[in-house]
């Protein structure tokens, strides 16, 4: 369970997040939507402390994570993240990308890590790309490798930061399909996305952010059919 | 034209030995420069102001004064200060190694800064600690980008190595001078030395290109 309490984030003179509070339950899939610059990604990045909130508290399984004493590395082991621009390690093959962290961070043996990695690569449909270097892959393939890499750490929570925004349109589906499979495994997922149909389809809950404020937190059906705020109505009119 | 190479023939083995004498301390100096330069580069990118300050001062001093002066200070001034009669070889590797480290640290720092910030974030998000992140993820990518600049530094160092002749170290340059003084002809031994330097740099360049090709494997 993730619990955010009054998260505020200030960059210089910009307040990007304003007192955001929400709770994400075990196994819940939450999509975060809103216009560009609304703070969606910053909010997501606070959840694994890639950004430190300026004030407020974040709890994961009732443990406060934005605390001087908390061990960031320990916390992150449990939270996978997928980035808009993949950020695969370009000097490593696909398989090496996936087995690197489990070996280094969880001290898995190479055989064990490879076994898990091969299973995961099979799940994302990339068994034949094991020995390829990332720049030989299409965007969709890269993102699927990135998902496999994050899953190899066997995290309890997965964060997705606009995972399909950098993809050619015809590759969006292959990545969303992999994510849907993941939804079905009961993984706790927080997904920042511009794919409204996907957001509506998979989400248990939708968060709508605008200008750093959490304007709506609702059931997807309710949110997409009857948004409560003018701002959300306006936004949905433009994107749907 | 007053050229006569026959007179230096007996001196050829003597001059060839200079190749190893030069290579020996150039290689050691490059290694010192690489290791120390990497450490300095890491100091420069930390958030710890003391380490960063020390590394910056170091670079400023070693880049801001002539190499020949650093060499002389180490060779002539150290004995005066400490009473330790420092050998020419040790003086040479210290002067060249410490000097090269300053340049290498700037090259590596620039290389690290040029690696996409997303690489750091991806490693951090996976829970990878700082040290393996640096040595397994960031530095390999940085080195690949800065290889041409590093090669340039090594080439410069190899050629500049000739100034150790000023402290009496029997390198290739010094040997050419000795032969010249022996036979009262300077052109021929200097020409031979020049050719040898050129060949050494040529080989070094080829090695560099081969390494570069290997590292571009993932492209």
């Amino acid at each position: 369970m993730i619990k955010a309490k009054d998260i505020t984030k200030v960059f210089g003179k910009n307040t990007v997040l304003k007192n955001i509070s929400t709770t994400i339950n075990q196994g819940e899939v939450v999509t975060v939507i809103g216009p560009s610059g609304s703070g969606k990604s910053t909010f997501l990045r606070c959840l694994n402390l890639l950004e430190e909130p300026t004030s407020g508290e974040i709890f994961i399984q009732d443990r406060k994570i934005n605390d001087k004493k908390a061990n960031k590395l320990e916390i992150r082991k449990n939270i996978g993240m997928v980035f808009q621009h993949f950020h695969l390690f370009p000097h490593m093959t696909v398989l090496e990308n996936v087995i690197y962290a489990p070996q280094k961070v969880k001290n898995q043996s190479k055989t064990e890590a490879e076994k898990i990695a091969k299973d995961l690569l099979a799940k994302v449909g990339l068994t034949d790309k094991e020995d390829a270097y990332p720049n030989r892959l299409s965007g969709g393939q890269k993102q699927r490798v990135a998902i496999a890499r994050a899953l190899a750490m066997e995290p309890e929570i997965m964060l997705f930061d606009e995972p399909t925004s950098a993809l050619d349109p015809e590759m969006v589906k292959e990545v969303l399909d992999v994510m849907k499979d993941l939804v079905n495994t009961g993984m706790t997922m927080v997904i920042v996305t511009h794919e409204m149909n996907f957001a509506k389809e998979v989400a248990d809950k939708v968060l709508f952010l605008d200008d750093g404020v959490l304007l709506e937190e609702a059931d997807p059906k309710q949110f997409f059919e009857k948004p409560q705020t003018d701002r959300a109505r306006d936004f949905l009119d433009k994107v749907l | 034209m007053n050229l006569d190479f026959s007179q230096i023939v007996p001196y050829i083995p003597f001059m060839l030995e200079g190749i190893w004498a030069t290579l020996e301390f150039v290689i050691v100096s490059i290694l010192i420069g690489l290791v120390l330069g990497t450490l300095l580069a890491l100091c420069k990118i930390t958030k710890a102001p003391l380490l960063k300050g020390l590394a910056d001062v170091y670079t400023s001093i070693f880049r801001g004064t002539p190499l020949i002066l650093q060499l002389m200070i180490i060779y002539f001034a150290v004995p005066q200060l400490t009473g330790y009669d420092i050998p020419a070889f040790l003086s040479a590797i210290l002067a060249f190694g410490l000097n090269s480290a300053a340049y290498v640290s700037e090259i590596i720092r620039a290389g690290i800064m040029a690696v996409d910030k997303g690489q750091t974030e991806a490693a951090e998000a996976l829970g990878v600690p700082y040290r393996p992140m640096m040595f397994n993820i960031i530095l390999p990518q940085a080195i690949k980008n800065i290889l041409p600049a590093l090669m340039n530094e090594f080439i410069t160092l190899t050629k500049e190595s000739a100034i150790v002749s000023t402290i009496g170290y029997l390198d290739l340059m010094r040997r050419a001078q000795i032969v010249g003084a022996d036979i009262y002809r300077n052109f021929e031994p200097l020409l031979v030395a020049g050719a040898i330097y050129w060949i050494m740099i040529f080989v070094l360049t080829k090695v560099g290109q081969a390494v570069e090709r290997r590292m571009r494997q993932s492209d």
Side-chain angles (χ1 to χ4, degrees):
Chain A
M1 191 180 74
I2 308 168
K3 199 168 184 176
K5 243 169 103 183
D6 282 328
I7 301 183
T8 295
K9 176 70 185 176
V10 181
F11 286 118
K13 283 182 183 157
N14 266 339
T15 307
V16 244
L17 294 178
K18 295 164 189 163
N19 297 312
I20 295 196
S21 298
T22 187
T23 302
I24 297 161
N25 291 315
Q26 193 88 39
E28 218 171 17
V29 176
V30 174
T31 53
V32 185
I33 61 179
S36 303
S38 57
K40 310 181 293 290
S41 288
T42 308
F43 169 69
L44 193 74
R45 290 160 61 86
C46 282
L47 298 182
N48 69 347
L49 296 180
L50 281 183
E51 305 290 355
E52 295 254 10
T54 310
S55 65
E57 293 173 299
I58 299 170
F59 297 90
I60 289 180
Q61 330 288 30
D62 293 323
R63 204 160 53 137
K64 187 177 170 186
I65 62 164
N66 59 329
D67 190 275
K68 282 256 180 313
K69 276 173 279 170
N71 181 344
K72 278 189 199 176
L73 295 177
E74 206 54 46
I75 294 158
R76 287 172 179 154
K77 272 189 206 174
N78 218 1
I79 310 175
M81 184 163 196
V82 173
F83 300 87
Q84 180 178 359
H85 295 288
F86 332 123
H87 299 326
L88 293 179
F89 305 134
H91 57 304
M92 298 182 184
T93 64
V94 164
L95 187 66
E96 285 165 353
N97 262 280
V98 182
I99 63 174
Y100 176 74
Q103 280 184 278
K104 280 286 167 199
V105 181
K106 293 175 82 180
N107 292 319
Q108 272 177 14
S109 71
K110 194 169 183 210
T111 359
E112 195 185 353
E114 276 185 358
K115 190 176 162 290
I116 297 172
K118 286 181 180 186
D119 275 357
L120 285 167
L121 287 174
K123 277 198 187 113
V124 299
L126 286 172
T127 301
D128 54 330
K129 296 291 182 193
E130 247 176 57
D131 298 319
Y133 283 98
N135 64 356
R136 292 270 164 215
L137 307 180
S138 70
Q141 291 170 329
K142 281 183 197 169
Q143 197 59 299
R144 285 185 281 152
V145 175
I147 293 172
R149 179 177 68 175
L151 289 175
M153 289 294 290
E154 299 170 317
E156 287 175 28
I157 299 164
M158 283 284 282
L159 309 177
F160 292 84
D161 190 4
E162 302 196 26
T164 59
S165 296
L167 299 179
D168 290 338
E170 72 265 33
M171 286 162 189
V172 170
K173 187 172 177 296
E174 63 187 60
V175 171
L176 293 184
D177 285 346
V178 167
M179 289 170 66
K180 278 180 204 162
D181 287 344
L182 201 55
V183 169
N184 293 331
T185 64
M187 171 79 73
T188 310
M189 292 161 78
V190 187
I191 308 166
V192 173
T193 186
H194 289 293
E195 297 290 328
M196 293 305 148
N197 289 323
F198 176 74
K200 187 155 58 174
E201 187 184 340
V202 302
D204 297 311
K205 188 161 76 184
V206 175
L207 304 184
F208 177 73
L209 264 69
D210 182 54
D211 198 21
V213 180
L214 178 56
L215 277 188
E216 298 203 24
E217 177 172 5
D219 173 79
K221 198 160 176 292
Q222 188 206 329
F223 175 77
F224 283 99
E225 277 164 21
K226 274 204 200 96
Q228 301 295 304
T229 58
D230 289 343
R231 190 67 193 89
R233 213 167 298 132
D234 188 42
F235 174 77
L236 288 176
D237 278 347
K238 279 185 187 138
V239 297
L240 286 180
Chain B
M1 280 284 260
N2 177 14
L3 268 184
D4 178 9
F5 284 92
S6 66
Q7 288 193 47
I8 66 161
V9 171
Y11 293 97
I12 294 275
F14 175 70
M15 288 194 69
L16 290 180
E17 277 168 39
I19 298 178
W20 176 238
T22 289
L23 277 181
E24 197 182 13
F25 88 86
V26 164
I27 291 169
V28 177
S29 304
I30 284 176
L31 290 178
I32 293 176
L34 259 185
V35 173
L36 188 57
T38 308
L39 290 177
L40 285 168
L42 291 175
C43 290
K44 285 177 185 177
I45 58 164
T46 57
K47 290 184 189 106
L50 184 66
L51 285 177
K52 193 176 155 359
L54 284 175
D56 285 341
V57 168
Y58 179 97
T59 307
S60 173
I61 290 173
F62 278 89
R63 281 206 307 192
T65 55
L67 175 54
I68 191 164
L69 176 112
Q70 294 160 21
L71 181 67
M72 300 256 162
I73 287 184
I74 291 173
Y75 186 65
F76 295 117
V78 164
Q80 177 197 329
L81 220 61
T82 61
Y84 170 60
D85 199 3
I86 191 166
F89 180 78
L90 188 58
S91 308
I93 59 167
L94 276 179
F96 282 85
L98 297 179
N99 182 275
S100 184
Y103 288 91
V104 168
S105 72
E106 276 302 290
I107 296 172
I108 293 183
R109 187 186 62 86
I112 292 174
M113 306 291 269
V115 174
D116 183 6
K117 202 165 168 284
Q119 294 291 309
T120 313
E121 291 189 348
E124 281 177 352
L126 286 164
V128 179
Y130 182 80
R131 207 187 295 209
M133 174 180 86
M134 265 301 157
F135 286 97
N136 302 143
I137 311 282
I138 307 298
L139 279 174
Q141 295 183 54
I143 302 261
K144 189 170 118 178
N145 293 333
I146 61 179
L147 212 56
L150 274 182
M151 277 318 290
N152 219 2
E153 165 61 19
F154 298 158
I155 287 171
T156 307
L157 196 152
T158 308
K159 288 185 301 181
E160 292 288 300
S161 75
I163 68 169
V164 288
S165 57
T166 58
I167 61 167
Y169 183 76
L170 275 181
D171 73 324
L172 184 56
M173 182 70 199
R174 180 84 188 126
R175 284 168 197 247
Q177 289 172 331
I178 289 173
V179 175
D182 247 25
I183 61 176
Y184 301 107
R185 305 179 74 87
N186 278 306
F187 192 82
E188 294 87 344
L190 288 177
L191 196 70
V192 170
I196 295 176
Y197 275 115
W198 181 79
I199 291 169
M200 288 200 303
I201 301 296
F202 184 80
V203 171
L204 191 57
T205 309
K206 287 290 160 204
V207 170
Q209 283 167 354
V211 176
E212 221 173 298
R213 257 198 310 280
R214 237 193 89 75
M215 295 199 90
R216 300 237 168 262
Q217 212 179 24
S218 59
D219 284 353

